[in-house]
Amino acid sequence: MNVVIIGCGVVGAAIAYELSLVKRLKITVCDRQPPAQASTGAALGVLMGAISQKIKGKAWQMRQTSIQRYETLIPELEALTGRKIPFNRQGILMLLSDSSLEVMSAWEKLVEIRHSQGWHLEIWDTAKLQNICPQVDCEKITGAVYSPQDRQLDPTALTLALVEAAQQNGVTFKFGVTVLDAQTSPPESSPQFCVQLETTEGKISADWFVVAAGLGSTPLTAKLNQIIDIRPVLGQALQMRVGHPLGNPDFQPAITGNDVHIVPVGGGDYWVGATVEFPSNGNEIPPNQELLESVREQAIAFCPELATATILRTWSGLRPRPEGRPAPVIGKLPGFSNILLATGHYRNGVLLAPATAYAIREMISDRAVASR
């Protein structure tokens, strides 16, 4: 069975690798640019699973599946490709600035729920926080929640490893290829199916088409008269060099507070981000320098040593946010029997990539079994 995946960010690459483990699938991945360029290349890779407020249903299930899969996926990919994927196993520390009874009892409840689900969370008071993470020095901080089983990884390194591992398993990747048009069955046939795509490299036909193109999914689905409206949300971040680890060099979790992440990336360097900037008119979003500066100032307020850090680089990326519906969009394109959507992950593409890949694999292999 032929499967064509459109888009090679972390989600498209994860789907390609997951499907490459299924026998008798011939997989091709197309992207108009090299892998991990768009939102993946800009992401900080903070995987907030157990520490997230999602406790049931699909939203929690996908997080749990992904966090569990990463524990096996990273060593698996490293062994297959010989690449090193930076993977921080020291957890996520969430700083709290509200110790009201209501807020603390909500966290205590989450600790209990996670415990019943087989996950561990700890609530720290300021004394424990000061003792374990002396770099956090901010009078507004009233405590913290520590999630030892959540992770952070390098999204670009992960995506390149997924591509290489999928290639070793026989997947074909075509970069610099743009989809121009789609040929479908007659409109009166219900449901319709996509026969082939016309691309800048000629026609590509397949049994299944998987749209994992982030913001590129909107123009693509427009060609099929079933527009999936995905809008850009800009995020900016910076890499700062302190020159030595903040606090205890042997304990370097990702630190987050008030939606600002301080992510250790080795060698005394830290990623700090990210802004959340919506388009004001149309889809143009010029990066707002003041917002980036306020993120940097917030990080310094948490960890004052960052005030003397050198800014090595700043960058921005557009996150794909579905309009008027929850993120992500996973499932069949309405009206079509052989087009699957795996897009619009907004701020959770890296976190949910493994679970998304599982979901697509199930949809395709269920149908493959049924059609035999």
Side-chain angles (χ1 to χ4, degrees):
M1 239 178 23
N2 284 311
V3 181
V4 168
I5 300 163
I6 302 133
C8 195
V10 67
V11 172
I15 293 167
Y17 176 67
E18 192 58 49
L19 292 182
S20 78
L21 306 174
V22 180
K23 289 185 174 68
R24 293 188 292 279
L25 289 187
K26 186 170 181 289
I27 302 149
T28 306
V29 182
C30 304
D31 200 316
R32 59 184 180 208
Q33 49 192 358
Q37 292 298 300
S39 43
T40 298
L44 300 179
V46 179
L47 310 176
M48 298 175 79
I51 208 165
S52 80
Q53 298 294 333
K54 310 287 185 193
I55 53 173
K56 57 180 196 286
K58 204 170 166 185
W60 163 244
Q61 211 46 58
M62 286 189 75
R63 278 172 164 76
Q64 176 166 260
T65 299
S66 280
I67 294 283
Q68 287 168 336
R69 174 62 174 136
Y70 271 126
E71 292 305 306
T72 58
L73 181 62
I74 300 295
E76 195 176 299
L77 292 173
E78 288 185 335
L80 268 170
T81 63
R83 287 173 176 268
K84 185 85 193 82
I85 303 165
F87 187 49
N88 187 342
R89 289 182 170 85
Q90 297 195 318
I92 294 177
L93 182 70
M94 184 178 282
L95 305 177
L96 305 178
S97 52
D98 181 350
S99 57
S100 66
L101 208 58
E102 194 182 346
V103 168
M104 294 320 289
S105 69
W107 279 111
E108 279 157 17
K109 191 175 175 201
L110 186 65
V111 170
E112 279 173 34
I113 291 167
R114 287 293 181 249
H115 183 72
S116 72
Q117 294 169 331
W119 296 82
H120 184 66
L121 283 181
E122 298 170 13
I123 296 174
W124 293 0
D125 60 16
T126 46
K128 186 166 185 178
L129 176 62
Q130 190 58 47
N131 185 30
I132 299 176
C133 291
Q135 70 269 37
V136 177
D137 184 8
C138 174
E139 57 202 25
K140 286 190 182 145
I141 298 303
T142 55
V145 178
Y146 177 55
S147 177
Q149 292 158 294
D150 282 329
R151 302 287 181 252
Q152 183 276 332
L153 52 76
D154 183 317
T156 300
L158 167 68
T159 305
L160 296 178
L162 285 164
V163 168
E164 193 176 315
Q167 274 172 329
Q168 286 183 24
N169 291 346
V171 176
T172 304
F173 287 85
K174 294 173 182 265
F175 298 115
V177 174
T178 304
V179 175
L180 303 171
D181 210 352
Q183 190 186 334
T184 60
S185 60
E188 55 273 15
S189 69
S190 178
Q192 282 185 275
F193 60 91
C194 182
V195 182
Q196 60 184 16
L197 296 179
E198 288 180 35
T199 75
T200 45
E201 262 209 1
K203 295 183 161 108
I204 303 178
S205 55
D207 302 292
W208 287 100
F209 294 92
V210 181
V211 179
L215 288 163
S217 306
T218 300
L220 203 58
T221 53
K223 294 183 194 341
L224 297 155
N225 299 318
Q226 286 290 348
I227 196 155
I228 300 295
D229 189 5
I230 294 174
R231 310 274 177 95
V233 177
L234 185 90
Q236 298 183 74
L238 21 86
Q239 181 164 342
M240 301 173 79
R241 174 160 294 169
V242 185
H244 58 85
L246 295 170
N248 178 354
D250 297 323
F251 183 62
Q252 293 284 300
I255 294 175
T256 183
N258 195 25
D259 219 12
V260 170
H261 302 309
I262 302 167
V263 179
V265 289
D269 284 9
Y270 291 82
W271 288 347
V272 173
T275 64
V276 179
E277 303 173 48
F278 293 88
S280 47
N281 50 357
N283 276 347
E284 289 302 304
I285 319 174
N288 181 328
Q289 285 316 115
E290 285 170 19
L291 286 177
L292 183 61
E293 180 54 26
S294 74
V295 165
R296 188 181 79 94
E297 284 167 6
Q298 176 86 80
I300 291 168
F302 292 152
C303 299
E305 264 190 279
L306 286 171
T308 59
T310 314
I311 297 172
L312 295 184
R313 63 182 182 117
T314 63
W315 69 93
S316 66
L318 297 171
R319 312 173 181 101
R321 180 175 177 268
E323 182 64 24
R325 64 192 287 177
V329 182
I330 299 169
K332 275 196 183 150
L333 180 68
F336 283 86
S337 60
N338 69 333
I339 301 177
L340 298 177
L341 301 166
T343 187
H345 286 72
Y346 189 27
R347 300 174 73 186
N348 289 313
V350 184
L351 171 61
L352 300 180
T356 303
Y358 273 160
I360 295 294
R361 175 180 173 163
E362 272 180 22
M363 288 174 208
I364 288 177
S365 40
D366 283 358
R367 285 296 295 270
V369 169
S371 63
R372 262 195 221 126

